[in-house]
Amino acid sequence: MITSGLAEALRRDAAVLLEDYRSGAWVPDPAERELAEGLGRSRWDAHVLRAVLREVSPGVRSGRLVDVLAPAAGIVDQAAGAEDVVLQLRVLVDALTTWP
């Protein structure tokens, strides 16, 4: 069973990553941006997230974006508070796909 505490932790992790991106503390590599662009055009549910994550390259798999997305794939369809996680992830993905 997935808890709302886990959902809240993932939401916070996505918010921290977004802040790190905005402050310049984290710069996604081009493959992470490509992953974000693909997600930006997708509907978000557990099946889609898992399918997208299976196809990422090893370099992206070890990156910070996947660190946030992978656990989210397990809760987006089932945990209380998952809507907030998806919203925060969408904000993050939108930021990564909007060039300054």
Side-chain angles (χ1 to χ4, degrees):
M1 177 177 173
I2 306 299
T3 66
S4 60
L6 177 57
E8 178 59 22
L10 288 172
R11 189 201 60 74
R12 278 192 314 266
D13 289 349
V16 166
L17 188 57
L18 176 61
E19 182 57 33
D20 286 352
Y21 171 68
R22 288 180 173 160
S23 72
W26 171 65
V27 178
D29 68 27
E32 285 177 307
R33 283 192 188 272
E34 186 177 316
L35 171 61
E37 288 172 7
L39 284 172
R41 294 186 300 267
S42 301
R43 68 178 167 83
W44 286 46
D45 62 27
H47 175 73
V48 170
L49 284 175
R50 285 186 189 105
V52 167
L53 291 171
R54 274 193 301 269
E55 297 175 11
V56 298
S57 68
V60 173
R61 191 171 309 283
S62 64
R64 289 186 66 193
L65 183 57
V66 170
D67 284 348
V68 174
L69 293 173
I75 70 158
V76 296
D77 291 341
Q78 56 183 307
E83 303 84 19
D84 292 340
V85 173
V86 172
L87 177 61
Q88 187 63 56
L89 287 170
R90 283 193 170 277
V91 170
L92 173 61
V93 164
D94 286 348
L96 295 178
T97 60
T98 304
W99 294 88

